[in-house]
């Protein structure tokens, strides 16, 4: 995993003479020139690769990440490199005939070409794509025929667990552009989606009996991934900006190993942007405070960030239109709240990234960013488990993101998604303002994500005096909404600590999936349920 | 997971009147008529489904599988149904507007159509496909437009962990056609490949400290999946037909819990057909004997079967041409050695199936077949981990296998693969016969798979008298072959029990990946290495 020659020269230049200028950070427009300088794209079957092949010289001026050996599980520590994947190293010898690995010949892949019809920027809507969309073509032998750096012969065969170098390059550049991690030895690797990456992270970083920290309301599946591994959730208090750092500090400072029957928790799972289910987004300042608490107590942070690019325009208020989109790519990137990765001077963050919310969940392609030590341990797991995400998904994403859109087109797409979600959120908020009974329903306008978290003041329910509980009322409202033909999610589904007592009652509404013109109707139906249940 | 109405009626008919005829088993030609009778294909987003929707009435005349609660791990036992996936059940209500699940709207999937160019039977070669191949088209809204049962709107979104009903139907029918499991409540579910399914099986069926049984030489990655979980391999003796049942029985009968520091092993991992690395294929009789030993000692069998359809024509001998292909689909199916699944009266087999060797490894789509109890536990794991294999892979496979080829075309394709591998194997064997020094190199012609296992009589090496070890000689031959520009795999890489002493020395050669006309040259190079090393 050593950087290639072009990079070696740059690093040397930086290290050797103190007079030399610090290399400029990578920019969207600087990528084509930088690509010219780096090592040639490996285009063989299942080639070894790593992000080090494409990171710009600016990365290497930064200190290295800390080591986190003390966090690695027994399982993670005992993993060795795959014998058979290692043998693939010999395939680099020119002229070698392989009777080695059990890779089928491309003759037996029954697919001669694959074509995709995709949007041509800036015409991103389905209607515009129908009219002005581009046809992308991937042939079986495009590499040999000099037509592309990636083809079906390669993508339909086995690959390495990093993912294909073709897609990993794009992802590495994108990561550097957006996050500029403040340590040098960060790397990316593809995953089969963030839920899978989280499952693997737990097996890497925890032992049965451990507590993990989660926002007190959290993504139910993330908690359900953890519990069967013998893990318990330590619910961290939250407010409208997500994790309350003082609350986290207090829980950790007063941790009683005896009373808890477990060592002090060392893993924090957080969804910092457009949190699921609360919709809360941690501000830059809030993130810095949380990171400080993590440093103080030596906590490893797993930031699950599917909604990062669903940061929306500021909410303009009741009935008002959204402000215009960011004018430039730079403005757009600057408008984004800094990630934990971008604050991570220690290398104590593993960022889970996903195409699910911005391209397609069905692709089952995501990626993670972390220090080389941690990525290497993930890879040792992946190569004897999932191996790598679908090569068909990978070539589709490569054709779209790298060959067709490039980084500029992808940023345009993300801005377009931002504006669409802004419109959807605004439609939902306007509907809530119009229909919901304000004396019992309260909310904060979400700044990012897919979710609107509606608090309903259950103590105002007429049957509370007669002893009806929060849980009963929540169930009755949920069922009444189903009868009105609208589905919302119950707040209690998202409790991190299932044994915790709820003081407040919530419902989660998403504006992501319903067709735009039915959002108003859906909220009207929910409002009818509330009025009926509360006899208003 | 209850069978649909059409099936209920059939079962009822069978149960109610003792005079009724036993339903005929499903046949290739009977599938279209049977499809007409079963429940409508669910075509919504992430619909629930199970193999029960498509199994023919003949399945339900058989007894149910035994339960294997006593084999389930602590992790497996503590898994519950995913809260959020369960809520998807409400989406069946007609007219319901979902503000529930965080599924993105198809508007934001930047793919309007996908096209594939694939072989038209019987023109299966790449050259024929170039000329006479068919173009398959998948649009975004084909379902709504009545053009197909599957489209991009659905395949690019989240799905259930069973896989899409569209592809699961084909796989279920295929499984019934080929294996006819002898118990009623078998089911299939899609996986992200067999290595992943094996990793999950271990987490489902074993605890840290357990031994698992494996062929004494086995797929190195399968062993490397197991060791970090704290498992040890119990190496089962093998001969030219694979597992020696008496050897397995003896090891289990004499198991000493105290001396071993572990409970008696209850999981057997086996590659019954074209075993990796030895190429051995267990005969029908051998499988029956192994199954009996498994029953006697209450052992659960995981059969890993990527090479099942790489069963070849009988080897006709030195210089002779292969016999002609099976004349009919029936002849072809009858020519296949029975799987453990087809012998599994107890439901104690989990069959790992894969498209990797017969369609494309890059698709990362496989499936498993087991009793409902075991499949259900797999699903509880998948839904909070990998979720499901790529929807892009799934729609590509559906378009090819179901809409275009159908079962008849797929069987034609498998027969064509069989003949190609027969030719490749024969080329390798002819090269071995021509080039290898017969006084030190010995082999058995493989009947299936990708691998040829060559024993080299290391004791005839001139330096053995001076104390050179098997390991040293193996390493020197391997390196010498690399210098000759040919890569083979070292036998020692495949030892299940890394601490076992090797009596014999082997090299594994695959005829799967090298271009056909280089196989002779590759073996000539290996022969040169052997002669050089043995100073012949």
């Amino acid at each position: 995993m050593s950087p290639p020659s072009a990079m070696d020269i740059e690093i040397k230049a930086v290290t050797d003479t103190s007079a030399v200028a610090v290399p400029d950070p990578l920019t969207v427009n600087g990528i084509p020139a930088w690509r010219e300088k780096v090592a040639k794209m490996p285009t063989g079957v299942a080639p070894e690769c790593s992000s080090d092949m494409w990171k710009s010289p600016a990365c290497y001026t930064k200190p290295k990440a800390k080591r986190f050996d003390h966090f690695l599980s027994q399982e993670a520590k005992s993993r060795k490199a795959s014998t058979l994947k290692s043998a693939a190293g010999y395939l680099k010898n020119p002229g070698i005939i392989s009777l080695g690995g059990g890779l089928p010949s491309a003759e037996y892949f029954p697919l001669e070409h694959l074509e995709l019809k995709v949007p041509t920027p800036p015409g991103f809507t389905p209607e515009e794509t129908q009219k002005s969309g581009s046809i992308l073509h991937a042939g079986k032998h495009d590499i040999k025929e000099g037509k592309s750096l990636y083809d079906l012969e390669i993508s339909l065969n086995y690959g390495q667990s990093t993912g294909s170098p073709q897609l990993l390059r794009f992802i590495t550049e994108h990561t550097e552009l957006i996050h500029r991690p403040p340590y040098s030895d960060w790397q990316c690797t593809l995953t089969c989606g963030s839920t899978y990456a989280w499952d693997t992270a737990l097996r890497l970083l925890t032992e049965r009996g451990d507590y993990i920290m989660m926002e007190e309301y959290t993504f139910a599946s993330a908690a359900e991934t953890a519990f069967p591994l013998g893990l318990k959730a330590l619910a961290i208090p939250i407010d409208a900006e997500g994790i309350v750092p003082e609350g986290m500090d207090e829980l950790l400072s007063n941790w009683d190993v005896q009373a808890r029957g477990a060592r002090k928790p060392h893993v924090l799972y957080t969804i910092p942007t457009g949190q699921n289910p609360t919709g809360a987004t941690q501000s830059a300042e809030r993130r810095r405070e949380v990171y400080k608490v993590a440093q103080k107590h030596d906590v490893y942070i797993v930031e699950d960030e599917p909604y990062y690019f669903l940061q929306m325009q500021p909410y303009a208020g009741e009935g008002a239109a959204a402000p215009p989109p960011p004018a430039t790519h730079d403005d757009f990137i600057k408008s984004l709240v800094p990630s934990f990765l971008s604050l991570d001077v220690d290398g104590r963050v593993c960022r889970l990234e996903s195409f699910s919310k911005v391209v397609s969940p069905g692709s089952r392609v995501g990626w993670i960013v972390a220090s080389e030590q941690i990525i290497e341990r993930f890879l040792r797991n992946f190569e004897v488990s999932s191996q790598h995400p679908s090569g068909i998904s990978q070539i589709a994403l490569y054709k779209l993101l790298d060959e067709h859109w490039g980084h500029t087109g992808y940023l345009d797409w993300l801005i377009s998604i931002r504006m669409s979600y802004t419109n959807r959120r605004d439609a939902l908020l306007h509907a809530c303002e119009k229909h919901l009974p304000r004396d019992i329903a309260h909310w904060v306008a979400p700044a990012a994500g897919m979710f609107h978290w509606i608090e309903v003041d259950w103590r105002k329910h007429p049957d509370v005096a007669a002893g009806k509980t929060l849980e009963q009322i929540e169930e009755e409202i949920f069922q009444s909404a189903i009868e009105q033909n609208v589905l919302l999610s119950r707040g209690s589904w998202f409790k991190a600590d299932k044994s915790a007592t709820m003081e407040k009652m919530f419902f989660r509404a998403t504006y992501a999936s319903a067709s735009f013109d039915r959002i108003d109707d859906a909220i009207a139906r929910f409002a009818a349920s509330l009025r009926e249940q509360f006899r208003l």
Side-chain angles (χ1 to χ4, degrees), chain A residues 309-322:
Chain A
F309 285 111
L310 302 186
Q311 293 179 57
M312 295 169 286
Q313 298 294 91
Y315 183 56
E318 210 153 328

Side-chain angles (χ1 to χ4, degrees), chain A residues 56-85:
Chain A
S56 87
C59 300
Y60 294 96
T61 60
K62 294 168 187 169
K64 286 190 108 179
K66 291 190 169 152
R67 288 190 63 86
F68 290 93
D69 304 71
H70 55 297
F71 286 164
L72 296 178
S73 67
Q74 201 182 347
E75 179 184 323
K77 275 188 286 208
S78 59
R79 288 194 181 277
K80 294 181 183 150
S82 155
T83 305
L84 301 179
K85 297 258 176 203

Side-chain angles (χ1 to χ4, degrees), chain A residues 13-281:
Chain A
V14 173
T15 326
D16 277 6
T17 55
S18 55
V20 85
V22 173
D24 289 330
L26 192 68
T27 60
V28 181
N29 296 329
I31 285 174
W34 172 238
R35 283 191 176 188
E36 291 295 315
K37 281 196 191 174
V38 295
K40 250 182 82 186
M41 175 66 68
T43 52
V45 177
E48 287 182 352
C49 64
S50 92
S51 289
D52 289 341
M53 300 173 76
W54 304 290
K55 283 157 61 184
S56 87
C59 300
Y60 294 96
T61 60
K62 294 168 187 169
K64 286 190 108 179
K66 291 190 169 152
R67 288 190 63 86
F68 290 93
D69 304 71
H70 55 297
F71 286 164
L72 296 178
S73 67
Q74 201 182 347
E75 179 184 323
K77 275 188 286 208
S78 59
R79 288 194 181 277
K80 294 181 183 150
S82 155
T83 305
L84 301 179
K85 297 258 176 203
S86 305
Y90 290 107
L91 295 178
K92 284 183 224 155
N93 299 13
I96 200 159
I97 310 179
S98 177
L99 304 179
L103 281 70
S105 164
E107 283 173 66
Y108 308 123
F109 302 154
L111 196 48
E112 286 305 306
H113 77 230
L114 174 148
E115 269 185 12
L116 309 168
K117 184 167 188 186
V118 301
T120 309
F124 286 124
T125 66
E127 296 71 31
E128 288 169 308
T129 308
Q130 288 289 354
K131 267 184 271 172
S132 65
S134 306
I135 301 289
L136 313 182
H137 183 99
K140 199 164 188 176
H141 302 292
D142 283 356
I143 296 172
K144 281 178 193 149
E145 293 166 8
K147 294 178 187 164
S148 175
L149 293 176
Y150 200 21
D151 64 16
L152 294 176
E153 174 171 2
I154 301 304
S155 60
L156 294 177
N157 216 324
Y158 287 106
Q160 296 285 339
S161 294
T162 46
S164 66
Q166 290 86 351
L167 189 56
L168 188 66
R169 177 177 68 173
F170 185 88
I171 278 168
T172 301
E173 292 164 346
H174 175 78
T175 300
E176 188 177 340
L177 279 179
I178 304 293
H179 303 288
R180 309 200 182 289
Y183 63 96
S184 62
D185 52 338
W186 59 272
Q187 290 189 349
C188 306
T189 182
L190 263 59
T191 70
C192 297
S194 290
T195 312
Y196 175 65
W198 168 235
D199 184 22
T200 309
L202 288 171
R203 299 185 191 275
L204 203 71
L205 295 168
T206 67
E207 302 287 359
R208 197 163 265 279
D210 281 346
Y211 276 81
I212 50 166
M213 290 173 275
M214 311 184 101
E215 282 112 354
E216 65 181 305
Y217 290 94
T218 190
F219 177 38
S221 292
E224 288 165 358
T225 304
F227 301 149
L229 308 186
L231 301 169
K232 280 163 270 182
L234 178 67
I236 305 292
I238 52 176
D239 62 15
E241 276 194 30
I243 290 177
V244 177
E246 299 76 13
M248 178 174 159
D249 184 32
E250 200 184 313
L251 279 165
L252 289 170
S253 298
N254 301 321
W255 189 260
D256 183 335
V257 173
Q258 287 291 329
R260 296 280 193 168
R263 61 178 167 164
K264 195 168 141 180
H266 63 280
V267 172
L268 168 67
Y269 172 85
T270 179
I271 307 167
T273 314
Q275 203 253 356
N276 183 358
T278 65
T281 296

Side-chain angles (χ1 to χ4, degrees), chain A residues 455-476:
Chain A
E455 186 189 340
V456 176
D457 189 351
W458 68 281
R459 291 183 200 276
K460 291 192 179 153
H461 192 284
D463 297 344
V464 167
K468 198 165 262 186
T469 64
L470 184 155
E471 285 73 15
Q472 288 169 322
I473 296 170
E474 193 198 53
E475 168 69 11
E476 286 170 8

